[in-house]
Amino acid sequence: MAPSFRDVQLTSTLGANAGDDLEEVRLLDAYEKDDVENSGKLAENLKRIQVRVTGMTCAACSNSVEQALMSVNGVVKASVALLQNKADVAFDTSLVNDEDIKNAVEDSGFEAEILPEPSISHTKSHKTLLGQFSIGGMTCAACVNSVEGILRKLPGVKRAVVALATSLGEVEYDPTAITKNDIVSAIEDAGFEASLVQSSEQDKMILEVTGISSELDAQVLEGILSNLRGVRQFRFDRISSELEVLFDTEVLGSRSLIDGIEGESFGKFKLLVKNPYTRMASKDFEESSKMFRLFTASLFLSIPVFLMRFVCPSIPLLYSLLLRRCGPFQMGDWLKWALVTIVQFVIGKRFYVAAGRALRNGSTNMDVLVALGTSASYFYSVYALLYGAVTGFWSPTYFETSAMLITFVLLGKYLETLAKGKTSDAIKKLVELAPATALLLVKDKGGNNTREREIDALLIQPGDILKVLPGTKIPADGMAVWGSSYVNESMVTGESAPVLKEVNSSVIGGTMNLHGALHIQATKVGSDTVLSQIICLVETAQMSKAPIQKFADYVASIFVPTVVVMSLLTLFGWYIGGVLGAYPEQWLPENGNYFVFALMFSISVVVIACPCALGLATPTAVMVSTGVGANNGVLIKGGDALERAQMVKYIVFDKTGTLTQGKATVTTAKVFSGMDRGEFLTLVASAEASSEHPLAKAILEYARHFHFFDEPSAIEDAQNHEKNPKFSGWLLDVSEFSAVPGRGVQCFINGKRVLVGNRRLLTENGVAISTNVESFVVELEESAKTGILVAYDIALIGVLGVADPLKREAAVVVEGLRKMGVRTVMVTGDNWRTAQAVAKEVGIQDVRAEVMPAGKAEVIHSFQKDGSVVAMVGDGINDSPALAAADVGMAIGAGTDIAIEAADYVLMRSNLEDVITAIDLSRKTFSRIRLNYVFAMAYNVIAIPVAAGVFFPWVKVKLPPWAAGACMALSSVSVVCSSLLLRRYRRPRLTTILEITVE
């Protein structure tokens, strides 16, 4: 029955439900460096949509779809992703609409479906709303800047952040001044595709309904929705049991909507929020199942034809039955014709339809070749039968060639759908990590009693208090508010050791609670969570095209016309050669002629030269590689990043937090005045209490430990004082505090100036540094420690020595990179002596010290001048310009969000060994891509001459058309299976790289 759709008139408006503000989304973004030339300003009335395209099997297919779309009047840009079966289309809404786009794809021979907006959890309205928008069509940083600029100029927009890699925009806006539809329209007017993903005013949900067993049940459901206040529109598909609801968030919340439907049905109906990834997986499964049905039907009908040609002549009884006359033809001819006609025009109809539409659009693809090859053999066979019936001269027929060709092509397509499905296993595994349900703690109206309620995890809202039982997954990112337990966070960090979680500890959704019960407060839900961002990042990377693929796409686009020309040349060459007597008649098949002899060579050339494998060589390898990287804690932001990483010649390491642990500790405190040691530390700690610098925190911890070493209660008080210095009992009052970038801090205590920092800070303020102090500081620096000088009332009173321990793997990783042929460089804002001491300890010879944050990018550029590929590894905000400037930016996962946004690789485990993994995986991926091109081209380079009969005069070997079809299918399967072997990738062992023998 057709789906029903109703518009429901609102009867009244209820008060808005209270909700907490969404927290800022941590966007994992890539800084694209290519395609900048394509980022020009688009026309104002453009719109973008995504279309699911079913039936594409090779680069020629995707090119055919692109050409069909671009031929539509009003389409400005069209981009097709082969493996994802998606097309991204930008078009002028005054000239063309969504339905025209769909028809254009279908006219090119493929099935099309306009993709709807995804359904994700949401929260309720409040004064300012935070919306997340999907933005399609961005190709570079210029596009990002353009969208951000437009959004920030809109009236009512408070804040706008756009991420290129995730194609997401986050906008904080005033709903009284602007609506989410206005924001979408503004983005679309700029020439980009836009749709609302989620916000605190999300008003659309897609639900799966169970309990509908009859037409009456469906009518009951529709009646409930019609009477439910706040529901604007709904659409229930009785075939798929999917319910799409549009509702007023001022009246209904997501949980209220579901509760209302389930309550009114007295529990008969159960509703489940549809996960967009699950829906896409279902579509992929349907396509694979459809292709399998076509293949099995074709095989079932083709086997008898094959047996009649090659097996039955050896079985006298059966053969005699086939030779029996039935009208003008033999019984065997009738059977072959009937069976092959079904295969050719019923099962193989899709090839004719697709080929016809492609040719009408002036393009060619694999379907054109299949239609040409099968039609030639089929119609010649029919002609041979009719000619024999009229003249009595019976030529051999080749019905089995047509049937087996279609069968092998369908087999290849089916195996490709299976293999392409396996390449996205990483996303499926990540989606499976997300918990399905959560235990929500709800207080009664009086606020005295709390009860538990199981809800769908997609319905969690920021601020919800959730109970996490031992042995269950944490349902959302948040903060522990009660309890203590150990949590396995290996899915993010890669570390198997459980992590202790207590009150105020942060937790990550999808990680496993091992022992005790926890109560957590959800802070990030839906697409905001770390797991969702990882999924989105992997998906974005898998859809990207490596530069090497552009050449393959170009070759594939001209490949089909070239093959047709080669086929015609083969046909005329052999035919004319036979007519002119260039070869003897003994070469001809029994009762055959020169034309039939030439035709078989021509058909074999058409079939074996299909460019399917060429189009799959790169994207399948990239998809598998990004998935393998994610499983190993290395997030790759695209095929272009993979291609650059395998050519890295220099790796520039930041020092603090990258080579070092980033946990500075005070190792030495020496007073050079008559001041008491405790008084000195109190003075320094008071000055540093307002600073956010890691060294300041280390000084505070050292001073607190000195004062309260044996008094736990005092320690607790001191921790509280750190959070709120105003109520401190031991820190001194500070005035006129200021941080001096690159130098230190200064303030006034008891009316006297206090300076805490490096030599430059003191000398600029007229403080003299005596010889013995200078010697002491030099000694600290030569032992890889940072010397911090303290001046009080224009007199130097003491020095602190701060050490940041190296990561234990730093030295062996540097040595391993050297063995791999990569030169390492260290860059730091620290002084020369400390930098040289650290570099010597880890084995780095090239050191750039006392470099300001902006200067790190200049260091990168200095190595790029000779064309070398340079990678940068960093973690801090000050590393983001260098990460963006580098050819390959690698951000430590535990670093800042800004650094992660600027990088091409995210090393989630914060382990330097992952730098080696990233480069090694990139190299192995491109070795696999090169091997894939060998597989893709070998069949053509070697088999096309054989198919064309080049070697027939000497070795008398022919490649029958049906065997050519098998080789064509095998070439695609070989490429995909070659890529799938990357799933067996294992992280390189440092002992192997360093050639260390372990006894």
Side-chain angles (χ1 to χ4, degrees):
M1 184 174 291
S4 63
F5 191 95
R6 298 188 182 183
D7 290 335
V8 181
Q9 181 68 34
L10 297 179
T11 57
S12 64
T13 302
L14 300 179
N17 294 318
D20 295 315
D21 292 345
L22 287 174
E23 292 192 5
E24 181 177 353
V25 177
R26 175 187 177 204
L27 297 173
L28 301 178
D29 187 20
Y31 190 90
E32 300 286 344
K33 301 173 180 65
D34 57 353
D35 294 336
V36 176
E37 67 275 8
N38 298 325
S39 61
K41 184 176 181 181
L42 300 175
E44 292 184 354
N45 56 344
L46 289 190
K47 178 183 178 182
R48 285 186 181 271
I49 62 171
Q50 273 200 339
V51 185
R52 180 179 177 85
V53 183
T54 304
M56 296 188 297
T57 59
C58 61
C61 297
S62 61
N63 290 334
S64 176
V65 175
E66 285 188 3
Q67 292 173 12
L69 290 169
M70 291 301 297
S71 66
V72 177
N73 183 31
V75 172
V76 176
K77 185 176 180 182
S79 176
V80 179
L82 173 63
L83 292 183
Q84 285 69 35
N85 297 321
K86 290 181 182 178
D88 188 60
V89 189
F91 58 93
D92 189 334
T93 54
S94 64
L95 299 175
V96 66
N97 57 33
D98 295 10
E99 194 64 26
D100 296 329
I101 300 298
K102 179 181 178 182
N103 292 336
V105 176
E106 291 178 341
D107 288 342
S108 67
F110 304 92
E111 297 179 15
E113 176 190 357
I114 305 298
L115 291 177
E117 298 176 357
S119 173
I120 305 177
S121 62
H122 50 272
T123 60
K124 306 179 179 78
S125 61
H126 41 76
K127 291 183 180 179
T128 60
L129 301 177
L130 190 63
Q132 207 172 58
F133 298 84
S134 173
I135 304 172
M138 298 187 298
T139 59
C140 61
C143 298
V144 172
N145 294 335
S146 176
V147 176
E148 283 187 347
I150 291 168
L151 291 173
R152 289 169 180 169
K153 292 178 182 178
L154 293 175
V157 171
K158 308 295 183 183
R159 181 174 62 87
V161 179
V162 176
L164 179 62
T166 55
S167 297
L168 290 175
E170 184 181 80
V171 184
E172 184 180 356
Y173 62 97
D174 182 355
T176 61
I178 190 172
T179 67
K180 54 184 178 291
N181 292 330
D182 295 333
I183 295 173
V184 170
S185 298
I187 298 173
E188 291 176 342
D189 290 344
F192 299 92
E193 175 195 3
S195 62
L196 178 69
V197 175
Q198 75 165 355
S199 81
S200 51
E201 201 182 35
Q202 174 71 294
D203 57 0
K204 179 180 178 181
M205 294 183 70
I206 298 179
L207 308 165
E208 180 181 352
V209 185
T210 59
I212 305 292
S213 57
S214 65
E215 177 66 22
L216 180 60
D217 289 335
Q219 292 177 2
V220 171
L221 174 63
E222 292 173 355
I224 293 173
L225 288 165
S226 299
N227 295 322
L228 193 61
R229 289 186 297 179
V231 174
R232 289 175 174 169
Q233 295 176 336
F234 64 86
R235 174 181 173 273
F236 179 59
D237 189 333
R238 299 175 188 178
I239 299 175
S240 63
S241 295
E242 282 191 0
L243 174 64
E244 182 177 313
V245 184
L246 216 62
F247 58 96
D248 188 344
T249 55
E250 293 293 325
V251 179
L252 279 176
S254 58
R255 290 207 291 260
S256 301
L257 171 65
I258 293 176
D259 291 345
I261 297 174
E262 293 181 347
E264 289 295 325
S265 68
F266 300 101
K268 179 176 177 58
F269 303 147
K270 297 294 181 183
L271 283 80
L272 178 67
V273 182
K274 293 288 288 185
N275 189 310
Y277 293 104
T278 303
R279 299 180 73 213
M280 293 302 295
S282 176
K283 291 284 186 181
D284 294 337
F285 177 77
E286 289 176 8
E287 181 182 358
S288 180
S289 299
K290 178 181 178 181
M291 204 58 62
F292 179 72
R293 289 193 299 270
L294 290 173
F295 162 66
T296 52
S298 180
L299 181 64
F300 178 77
L301 296 173
S302 299
I303 287 178
V305 178
F306 188 82
L307 293 177
M308 281 188 279
R309 174 66 184 270
F310 297 102
V311 178
C312 288
S314 302
I315 306 175
L317 180 61
L318 287 177
Y319 195 52
S320 62
L321 292 174
L322 295 175
L323 294 177
R324 181 175 297 178
R325 287 281 176 179
C326 181
F329 308 117
Q330 297 175 351
M331 183 64 72
D333 293 331
W334 281 110
L335 289 174
K336 289 179 184 177
W337 173 80
L339 293 172
V340 174
T341 298
I342 296 174
V343 174
Q344 185 76 24
F345 297 108
V346 178
I347 298 175
K349 176 184 176 182
R350 64 190 310 277
F351 297 113
Y352 281 103
V353 173
R357 290 171 177 170
L359 292 174
R360 282 200 302 272
N361 287 315
S363 61
T364 54
N365 57 19
M366 190 200 75
D367 297 302
V368 173
L369 297 182
V370 174
L372 281 175
T374 58
S375 297
S377 59
Y378 175 83
F379 286 110
Y380 169 77
S381 299
V382 172
Y383 166 79
L385 286 178
L386 296 175
Y387 184 79
V390 173
T391 64
F393 181 80
W394 297 94
S395 298
T397 60
Y398 296 92
F399 283 117
E400 71 283 347
T401 295
S402 176
M404 295 306 293
L405 277 178
I406 291 178
T407 301
F408 279 120
V409 170
L410 291 173
L411 173 62
K413 287 177 176 289
Y414 169 63
L415 293 176
E416 286 170 20
T417 59
L418 286 182
K420 288 193 291 184
K422 288 184 179 294
T423 59
S424 59
D425 276 354
I427 290 181
K428 294 177 184 176
K429 290 179 180 177
L430 288 169
V431 172
E432 290 171 358
L433 289 174
T437 60
L439 284 177
L440 176 67
L441 297 179
V442 184
K443 291 187 177 181
D444 59 17
K445 293 182 179 180
N448 298 321
N449 299 320
T450 302
R451 61 183 177 87
E452 298 176 9
R453 175 192 170 192
E454 187 176 61
I455 63 170
D456 192 312
L458 293 175
L459 297 177
I460 298 172
Q461 300 169 359
D464 283 347
I465 303 298
L466 308 167
K467 183 177 181 179
V468 187
L469 298 174
T472 62
K473 294 178 180 178
I474 294 174
D477 292 3
M479 189 76 66
V481 296
W482 178 88
S484 174
S485 180
Y486 281 89
V487 174
N488 183 351
E489 295 184 339
S490 58
M491 76 154 201
V492 174
T493 65
E495 299 293 340
S496 58
V499 181
L500 176 64
K501 298 296 180 181
E502 297 175 307
V503 175
N504 293 329
S505 297
S506 60
V507 293
I508 302 173
T511 56
M512 181 67 71
N513 181 28
L514 298 179
H515 302 299
L518 286 173
H519 291 180
I520 69 165
Q521 183 176 32
T523 56
K524 295 182 180 180
V525 300
S527 61
D528 294 1
T529 64
V530 171
L531 180 59
S532 294
Q533 290 174 59
I534 293 174
I535 293 171
C536 186
L537 187 59
V538 173
E539 185 183 48
T540 302
Q542 291 185 343
M543 288 190 66
S544 66
K545 287 187 178 182
I548 192 175
Q549 188 178 341
K550 296 178 181 178
F551 173 74
D553 290 345
Y554 171 74
V555 172
S557 67
I558 63 173
F559 203 76
V560 175
T562 303
V563 169
V564 173
V565 172
M566 290 173 57
S567 174
L568 292 174
L569 290 175
T570 301
L571 174 64
F572 289 117
W574 278 104
Y575 178 69
I576 294 173
V579 172
L580 297 177
Y583 55 85
E585 291 187 6
Q586 288 79 5
W587 288 6
L588 302 180
E590 185 179 356
N591 296 329
N593 54 46
Y594 293 117
F595 179 77
V596 175
F597 186 64
L599 182 63
M600 291 302 102
F601 287 119
S602 177
I603 293 174
S604 295
V605 171
V606 166
V607 174
I608 202 169
C610 285
C612 300
L614 192 64
L616 295 171
T618 298
T620 53
V622 170
M623 286 187 72
V624 175
S625 181
T626 51
V628 168
N631 291 335
N632 284 276
V634 178
L635 299 184
I636 308 167
K637 295 189 177 179
D640 53 343
L642 273 169
E643 185 163 350
R644 293 193 300 269
Q646 52 103 22
M647 299 184 292
V648 166
K649 182 177 180 181
Y650 293 93
I651 287 189
V652 178
F653 286 97
D654 173 52
K655 179 178 77 71
T656 305
T658 303
L659 289 173
T660 65
Q661 296 178 13
K663 298 177 182 178
T665 57
V666 176
T667 60
T668 306
K670 187 169 183 178
V671 182
F672 288 92
S673 66
M675 184 178 293
D676 177 77
R677 184 183 180 87
E679 185 182 355
F680 167 73
L681 291 175
T682 300
L683 188 73
V684 179
S686 300
E688 293 283 11
S690 299
S691 174
E692 293 296 326
H693 196 281
L695 295 184
K697 296 179 180 178
I699 294 171
L700 272 171
E701 176 64 23
Y702 183 82
R704 181 183 58 79
H705 186 72
F706 176 85
H707 284 294
F708 306 106
F709 182 75
D710 293 322
E711 301 178 30
S713 60
I715 294 177
E716 185 176 349
D717 291 340
Q719 290 174 333
N720 293 331
H721 295 330
E722 282 185 35
K723 297 176 184 177
N724 195 348
K726 186 186 298 184
F727 301 101
S728 173
W730 64 280
L731 294 178
L732 304 175
D733 292 332
V734 173
S735 62
E736 298 183 36
F737 172 86
S738 64
V740 185
R743 288 163 175 75
V745 300
Q746 61 182 3
C747 64
F748 284 87
I749 297 177
N750 297 328
K752 298 178 181 179
R753 172 172 291 183
V754 178
L755 302 172
V756 183
N758 55 22
R759 296 181 183 86
R760 194 178 304 172
L761 177 66
L762 269 65
T763 54
E764 288 177 354
N765 286 275
V767 178
I769 303 174
S770 62
T771 303
N772 61 328
V773 172
E774 177 66 23
S775 301
F776 181 74
V777 174
V778 169
E779 185 180 343
L780 288 174
E781 293 170 346
E782 290 177 345
S783 59
K785 298 176 184 176
T786 300
I788 298 177
L789 290 75
V790 182
Y792 182 57
D793 196 21
I794 318 182
L796 196 152
I797 61 172
V799 175
L800 296 171
V802 181
D804 188 359
L806 286 170
K807 291 182 177 177
R808 60 182 182 179
E809 73 274 10
V812 290
V813 167
V814 169
E815 177 64 14
L817 290 169
R818 188 183 66 81
K819 291 280 188 179
M820 295 171 69
V822 179
R823 296 180 60 181
T824 54
V825 182
M826 188 184 80
V827 59
T828 178
D830 213 335
N831 63 81
W832 272 101
R833 291 190 185 90
T834 302
Q836 290 285 359
V838 171
K840 182 178 180 181
E841 194 170 345
V842 298
I844 295 178
Q845 296 180 342
D846 196 339
V847 181
R848 308 298 170 92
E850 297 183 6
V851 178
M852 297 297 289
K856 293 182 180 180
E858 296 177 3
V859 173
I860 300 291
H861 293 315
S862 68
F863 289 105
Q864 293 172 325
K865 288 180 179 178
D866 62 352
S868 298
V869 177
V870 182
M872 169 71 189
V873 185
D875 73 316
I877 292 176
N878 58 356
D879 295 327
S880 55
L883 289 168
D887 298 291
V888 181
M890 297 184 183
I892 299 295
T896 64
D897 294 349
I898 295 177
I900 291 172
E901 290 171 17
D904 300 295
Y905 284 72
V906 180
L907 312 181
M908 296 298 295
R909 303 191 311 158
S910 298
N911 191 320
L912 290 178
E913 292 180 34
D914 290 340
V915 175
I916 289 180
T917 300
I919 295 176
D920 181 70
L921 177 59
S922 301
R923 290 180 177 180
K924 284 185 169 58
T925 299
F926 269 80
S927 294
R928 185 64 57 180
I929 289 174
R930 295 183 187 100
L931 181 61
N932 287 350
Y933 281 121
V934 172
F935 281 127
M937 300 303 296
Y939 288 92
N940 294 328
V941 172
I942 297 173
I944 285 180
V946 177
V950 172
F951 305 110
F952 183 79
W954 296 279
V955 296
K956 303 299 184 296
V957 173
K958 291 192 295 183
L959 190 66
W962 64 267
C967 289
M968 182 272 294
L970 187 61
S971 66
S972 297
V973 175
S974 298
V975 166
V976 176
C977 291
S978 171
S979 294
L980 288 175
L981 287 176
L982 278 171
R983 296 171 68 191
R984 303 177 61 184
Y985 174 83
R986 294 292 179 269
R987 303 165 62 89
R989 298 177 60 184
L990 286 172
T991 53
T992 303
I993 295 175
L994 300 177
E995 299 177 354
I996 298 173
T997 302
V998 180
E999 298 294 340

